[in-house]
Amino acid sequence: MLGGGRFSSTLRALAATLPGGRRLHTELEHANQQRVRLTARVERMRSRMLALVASRRRLRARRLSKDVLRQVLPLRHAALMASEPTARRASESAFLERSASYRAALATLPESLTTEAWDPGLQTWWIPDTRARGSSAGPAIVRGHAHVSFEEILNGRDLALGGTMIDIGANVGAMSLPRVVLGDFSRVYAIEPDPDNYACLVRNVVQNGLQGLVLPDQLAIGDTMGYLSLRRLSSGTHHLVEHAADQDHVVQVPCSTLDAWVDAMKVDPLQLTFVKSDTQGWDVHVLLGAPGLLRHRHIAWQLEFSPSMLGRAGHTAAQAFEIIRSAFTHVIDLRSARGPRVRRTSELEDVLSDVGHGARQYTNLLLYNAGPMR
């Protein structure tokens, strides 16, 4: 039996002897050349695909692992607790003089909590008990599990590293406490408006021996001074509202602009490197109340972005984009793998074009400035 190559040659030679054979011979030669080129192209594509797969495997092998943070946390906590506490005590004492809510919260703590041994690795947490909310005069809190997002900590380490952090909407401290223990920040100011969340936050700080490192204050941050209505839902989430017609599940909380709070707490902006705002759509209000802090271009911010939550708070995505563009040059969408990781804030519409649609209802943005000081 003739092989494929010999058969093709024989066929071409036979074709050349037939009527019109020269043209057929030429067409067969052309088809054969195309086949050779196509085979070579397929081989090149296959080689590139194999190289891409190998490259992705190497990247996955080198990628930062959240499990490493989880594993090292107990050892870092133990070392921190064994270190000299003098600086922590000075920081705690200064903050106590300035924060009335912190003084009041510490005064109500049971003695057993202050004498109980700390639990390495932040395994002991106080969380709100939404089932018991409103059934007693004190805070509705229980011991339970708080979700620590080590992945979010890793994703923000381009900018959330070193110096001092302000955590707006700190909840029970599940982001503030680990970041101090891991050494990402030397100090975190943790701001939380909800009374039950705040009670848990203070207890978690004390329970884990982090006084002076995590400094909790109870208030809302916005663009006004005074009081705001905080709607607390059965799911455990809450959000600020300017006017609450229905007073069910609503509490009044003190409110301050961020600039005024920074001045009152004597926070040094030059030591501040990172502000995280997770306020369920109130983030534009936060930015509007911080023009002084935004002028410090070395400070990076993390904001939650959700068109629906922005609308509930009285703002639009376009208004958020305008403020962000005026204050920052670059943005990283922490919950997207589409396009380059770092983009200019002038591209915000494109970066966030799919947020608010389908399953992608919200995202978290890292915002920062590049270039020399203005």
Side-chain angles (χ1 to χ4, degrees):
M1 181 177 290
L2 293 175
R6 291 179 60 192
F7 178 78
S8 297
S9 299
T10 302
L11 182 63
R12 290 195 298 273
L14 178 63
T17 65
L18 298 174
R22 291 182 180 276
R23 186 180 64 184
L24 181 59
H25 179 270
T26 301
E27 290 175 353
L28 287 171
E29 284 290 344
H30 181 65
N32 185 60
Q33 292 171 4
Q34 284 185 320
R35 180 185 62 79
V36 171
R37 286 195 295 268
L38 182 59
T39 301
R41 184 178 178 184
V42 169
E43 281 299 315
R44 288 196 298 271
M45 291 177 64
R46 180 175 176 274
S47 297
R48 289 172 183 170
M49 186 173 295
L50 290 173
L52 180 60
V53 169
S55 176
R56 286 179 175 175
R57 285 174 179 168
R58 289 193 298 270
L59 285 174
R60 281 197 298 268
R62 291 200 299 261
R63 188 170 56 191
L64 297 176
S65 170
K66 60 185 178 183
D67 292 332
V68 173
L69 297 186
R70 185 181 291 108
Q71 292 161 359
V72 78
L73 189 67
L75 297 174
R76 293 285 177 88
H77 191 194
L80 190 60
M81 294 302 95
S83 63
E84 172 57 47
T86 302
R88 299 203 300 267
R89 288 173 180 163
S91 176
E92 172 87 349
S93 177
F95 189 71
L96 272 171
E97 291 181 3
R98 297 162 189 151
S99 173
S101 65
Y102 191 39
R103 290 196 302 272
L106 289 182
T108 62
L109 292 182
E111 185 177 351
S112 59
L113 188 71
T114 59
T115 58
E116 196 172 318
W118 49 264
D119 186 9
L122 308 184
Q123 296 300 308
T124 299
W125 290 91
W126 291 90
I127 60 173
D129 182 4
T130 56
R131 297 168 300 177
R133 181 169 283 168
S135 63
S136 63
I141 59 179
V142 294
R143 287 182 186 267
H145 172 74
H147 174 65
V148 178
S149 180
F150 291 103
E151 185 171 5
E152 183 175 338
I153 292 174
L154 276 181
N155 287 344
R157 275 189 162 178
D158 308 63
L159 299 163
L161 202 62
T164 300
M165 170 184 173
I166 294 178
D167 187 357
I168 303 171
N171 202 273
V172 301
M175 291 303 295
S176 298
L177 275 64
R179 278 175 153 156
V180 160
V181 172
L182 290 168
D184 290 9
F185 297 101
S186 59
R187 181 180 301 127
V188 175
Y189 293 93
I191 303 173
E192 171 57 39
D194 180 74
D196 291 347
N197 283 348
Y198 184 70
C200 293
L201 171 61
V202 172
R203 289 194 178 207
N204 289 330
V205 170
V206 174
Q207 183 83 60
N208 291 285
L210 298 176
Q211 301 97 311
L213 298 174
V214 178
L215 303 169
D217 201 18
Q218 185 189 357
L219 76 161
I221 297 295
D223 54 354
T224 59
M225 304 292 290
Y227 284 84
L228 286 173
S229 297
L230 181 72
R231 186 179 298 281
R232 305 195 292 176
L233 304 179
S234 58
S235 62
T237 61
H238 52 266
H239 59 267
L240 293 163
V241 292
E242 292 191 26
H243 307 287
D246 179 6
Q247 293 300 312
D248 288 343
H249 310 295
V250 171
V251 295
Q252 296 298 305
V253 295
C255 179
S256 169
T257 67
L258 188 55
D259 280 351
W261 184 87
V262 164
D263 289 342
M265 295 295 116
K266 300 188 185 305
V267 177
D268 184 355
L270 297 180
Q271 297 298 316
L272 184 62
T273 58
F274 193 67
V275 176
K276 189 218 80 178
S277 175
D278 183 357
T279 58
Q280 298 290 299
W282 208 252
D283 306 272
V284 169
H285 291 279
V286 173
L287 292 171
L288 289 172
L293 206 59
L294 289 173
R295 283 195 288 271
H296 292 274
R297 288 167 45 85
H298 68 282
I299 302 174
W301 286 59
Q302 178 177 321
L303 296 180
E304 186 178 40
F305 175 80
S306 165
S308 62
M309 288 192 288
L310 278 173
R312 184 181 62 198
H315 290 105
T316 65
Q319 289 173 311
F321 294 163
E322 183 180 354
I323 297 171
I324 290 172
R325 276 194 288 259
S326 69
F328 304 99
T329 61
H330 288 77
V331 57
I332 298 173
D333 184 344
L334 292 178
R335 291 177 173 265
S336 174
R338 181 174 63 92
R341 186 168 189 267
V342 179
R343 304 280 290 273
R344 303 281 303 190
T345 52
S346 58
E347 305 173 82
L348 277 169
E349 284 85 354
D350 179 55
V351 173
L352 302 173
S353 61
D354 60 337
V355 179
H357 308 287
R360 194 160 134 83
Q361 291 300 306
Y362 79 100
T363 190
N364 291 320
L365 305 178
L366 280 181
L367 302 164
Y368 71 99
N369 288 294
M373 297 288 285
R374 288 194 288 218

